[in-house]
Each structure stands twice: as structure tokens, then as C-alpha cells.
Amino acid sequence: MQLELRVDRSSPVPLYFQLSQQLEAAIEHGSLTPGSLLGNEIELAARLGLSRPTVRQAIQSLVDKGLLVRRRGVGTQVVHSQVKRPLELSSLYDDLEAAGQRPATTVLVNTVVPASAEVAAALGVPEGGDVQRVERLRLAHGEPMAYLCNHLPAGLLDPDTRQLEATGLYRLMRAAGITLHSARQSIGARAATSAEAERLAEAEGAPLLTMQRTTFDDTGRAVEFGDHIYRPSRYAFEFQLLVRP
């Protein structure tokens, strides 16, 4: 299927940016699926009446974002779309499913451990007391996207490793009768350690998005403390900002 691409020469928006935005939208909406070929730069330039450097710049901007990759002997290929996660109380698993990303999970740790000072403060439990620790690697289209470390109060949920690999933690909590109500969350960024880089197929020192979240049920009890890291080439947080009246 040939994409409907148009550029407006009367617009102050640079032509390469107009093209890159349309291609990015086609990837996000599934018109260009992972693995599909974008086509020849020369043909694309001729079809749109653009110079080849303009088309090359548009494509390169999407290569830099991790949405396209140039393969020798193959051409320019769609890799994946970036997941843009809204700031609401949802799970990564649900967000990936909604974005058509085919989530998969590898459970690295699922055990009871003593609560560290940070975990104890977040969950409101005694330091050194038992908490459930779950570490998972979340993948989309077979590529690692995020490393998730979650702590739960002891006795709240006894998650089965096979269930954790088949679905999301929040779904298991809801199925157990836990009503998720609100969360306190902070977002940041830092460089990847060697272990994190190896898990996420990034270079050591590469920038990573971080997110810490404490989730509460409808009684105000802390039911989960999450400490997650994400690949920024595959993942972004979206904010909706409102002006105060």
C-alpha cells in the first residue's frame, strides 16, 4: 500500500520535518508495520518533488529516534514505534497491548526478601520485614524495552511466575480483589550501569528513563512500590498540562 504523503511548501515548517512527522505518524498508527521497507529515497524524493538531501534528512531523524534502521542490501526498514505512555494509573503491559506492541515478559526474580529502608518507607512496613520482590524484563516485538522491579507487602499477593510471564502485575492484583485507586510517581533519567545496559541491549552509560511509583488501594494502603527503567528510544511519558483558572 502506498502512503499518502504531502508537503506544504507555503508552510514555515521545514519540508524534511513535515515528511518525518507523516512517516512517524504512519509508524505509530500501524500503516507502516515493523519489518516493512520504506522504499527508495530517490523514488520518494521524485514522488514528492523534494530534493534527495531533504528526504535523507527526514529519514535520518527517524533513524536517530530508533523508528527506522538502514540495512545494507535491504534498504530502510521500520523497526518499531515508540510507546508513549500517558501519565495515568495503568500498567506497562496494558499500555503495550493498547499500542499493538505484543508484550512479553521474562521473570528474573520472584521471591520474598527483607525490606530495605527505601522499600519500607514507601510501603509503610517495618525495615527488614518480609516483602515480595518481583523483577521482570519487559519486551515488545522481541526487543527489551524496560526492566521492572516491584515490591509488594507480604501476604498481599502470591504471584505465580508463569502468571507474571503471561500478564501484567496490575491485572493479577485486580483479579485478587485489590482495588487500585491512586499513585505517587516520580520520573527521571540517568546513565545505564553495565548490568542495566546488558539487560536492555544498550551501551554502558547510555541514557535511561527512570520511574518510581508507590500505588495505593481504595483504603489508602500502599500495595506496590515500583522502581523501573526504560529505553528512551522505545518509550516516552506523555503529559497533559492545564492552565490554572
Side-chain angles (χ1 to χ4, degrees), residues 26 112 171 224:
V112 175
R171 287 188 185 180
E224 175 247 353

Side-chain angles (χ1 to χ4, degrees), residues 133-136 147-151 224-228:
R133 181 182 176 95
V134 176
E135 295 180 40
R136 293 163 294 161
Y147 163 73
L148 315 173
C149 179
N150 296 80
H151 288 88
E224 175 247 353
F225 174 62
D227 194 354
H228 303 170

Side-chain angles (χ1 to χ4, degrees), residues 9-27:
R9 287 174 171 76
S10 65
S11 169
V13 178
L15 296 176
Y16 88 89
F17 190 73
Q18 291 184 43
L19 178 57
S20 70
Q21 288 290 92
Q22 291 178 67
L23 292 173
E24 183 172 354
I27 294 171

Side-chain angles (χ1 to χ4, degrees), residues 6-242:
R6 294 184 179 87
V7 293
D8 180 4
R9 287 174 171 76
S10 65
S11 169
V13 178
L15 296 176
Y16 88 89
F17 190 73
Q18 291 184 43
L19 178 57
S20 70
Q21 288 290 92
Q22 291 178 67
L23 292 173
E24 183 172 354
I27 294 171
E28 287 188 355
H29 297 151
S31 301
L32 285 172
T33 56
S36 62
L37 292 173
L38 188 59
N40 187 291
E41 283 182 10
I42 299 175
E43 294 174 357
L44 192 56
R47 179 154 66 92
L48 295 173
L50 298 173
S51 68
R52 191 175 177 188
T54 296
V55 173
R56 186 181 299 117
Q57 187 177 7
I59 290 174
Q60 186 60 47
S61 69
L62 299 183
V63 171
D64 294 340
K65 284 186 174 184
L67 301 179
L68 299 176
V69 65
R70 298 180 191 274
R71 302 192 190 280
R72 187 179 297 275
V74 176
T76 304
Q77 197 169 23
V78 177
V79 182
H80 41 59
S81 61
Q82 185 187 55
V83 173
K84 295 182 178 179
R85 186 176 189 177
L87 285 185
E88 57 188 34
L89 189 49
S90 62
S91 73
L92 176 58
Y93 190 93
D94 292 341
D95 291 337
L96 289 172
E97 270 200 339
Q101 294 284 317
R102 297 201 305 272
T105 305
T106 300
V107 176
L108 306 174
V109 173
N110 181 20
T111 189
V112 175
V113 299
S116 66
E118 180 184 34
V119 171
L123 293 179
V125 300
E127 185 176 351
D130 286 350
V131 291
Q132 187 79 28
R133 181 182 176 95
V134 176
E135 295 180 40
R136 293 163 294 161
L137 188 65
R138 183 79 82 222
L139 303 97
H141 296 296
E143 291 188 37
M145 171 174 284
Y147 163 73
L148 315 173
C149 179
N150 296 80
H151 288 88
L152 313 174
L156 179 77
L157 186 71
D158 184 19
D160 180 82
T161 296
R162 286 176 297 179
Q163 290 178 314
L164 287 167
E165 290 184 339
T167 189
L169 180 60
Y170 280 8
R171 287 188 185 180
L172 294 178
M173 294 173 77
R174 291 187 179 102
I178 300 165
T179 302
L180 304 177
H181 179 264
S182 62
R184 184 172 60 247
Q185 179 170 288
S186 62
I187 297 169
R190 60 174 170 78
T193 65
S194 58
E196 291 167 345
E198 185 176 356
R199 283 189 186 121
L200 295 176
E202 293 281 356
E204 184 175 354
L208 298 175
L209 286 171
T210 66
M211 187 267 278
Q212 282 192 338
R213 173 190 282 181
T214 304
T215 305
F216 304 90
D217 68 7
D218 56 348
T219 70
R221 173 184 56 165
V223 293
E224 175 247 353
F225 174 62
D227 194 354
H228 303 170
I229 55 175
Y230 304 88
R231 298 174 68 184
S233 63
R234 300 291 317 275
Y235 200 82
F237 292 99
E238 280 198 332
F239 298 78
Q240 182 177 10
L241 305 178
L242 301 176

